[in-house]
Amino acid sequence: MQPLVYSSNGRDVTTSLKVAEVFGKEHKRVLQDLRELSCSEEFRVHNFVHTHYIHPQNNQKYDMFEITRDGFSFLAMGYTGAKAAKFKEDFIRYFNDSIKL
């Protein structure tokens, strides 16, 4: 099981897959949300890194994004509801704890 936050290229990140999982959304919807964010290109480049993952069941390559703490905060601001609020707090806590390490 993938952790909420991990280090990638010296930066603490989460993924669009993890965001979909914990917010109870389809991954394709999170990808759509990311592509439709109203942010500057500079912010997008620094906080949302397009990459791929291999699905374990069919060994096919699929799109995903690595997302920084700031990128997560920007994306998650648009999600609502009790479940979303709990996971926003969890993500923030994990990111903050990783900074202390």
Side-chain angles (χ1 to χ4, degrees):
M1 182 174 170
Q2 184 185 42
L4 286 176
V5 176
Y6 63 94
S7 182
S8 176
N9 296 316
R11 297 183 347 159
D12 292 328
V13 297
T14 191
T15 67
S16 54
L17 284 169
K18 186 54 75 172
V19 170
E21 177 187 330
V22 298
F23 281 94
K25 297 173 89 52
E26 292 181 331
H27 186 239
K28 67 181 181 180
R29 297 292 175 228
V30 173
L31 293 176
Q32 180 179 356
D33 293 342
L34 286 166
R35 289 183 176 113
E36 293 176 355
L37 282 176
S38 295
C39 61
S40 69
E41 188 60 25
E42 180 181 3
F43 186 86
R44 183 178 304 281
V45 166
H46 286 94
N47 295 288
F48 305 102
V49 176
H50 181 257
T51 188
H52 298 93
Y53 72 98
I54 304 297
H55 195 284
Q57 288 181 330
N58 62 15
N59 284 332
Q60 289 188 313
K61 187 178 359 178
Y62 293 95
D63 292 335
M64 77 169 194
F65 284 85
E66 288 186 335
I67 305 169
T68 66
R69 177 182 56 186
D70 290 345
F72 167 78
S73 298
F74 195 91
L75 173 66
M77 283 182 217
Y79 295 160
T80 60
K83 189 172 185 179
K86 182 196 180 316
F87 284 111
K88 286 179 200 181
E89 290 178 14
D90 288 347
F91 272 100
I92 291 166
R93 191 174 307 107
Y94 277 101
F95 271 116
N96 288 338
D97 287 347
S98 70
I99 291 171
K100 295 175 191 173
L101 298 176

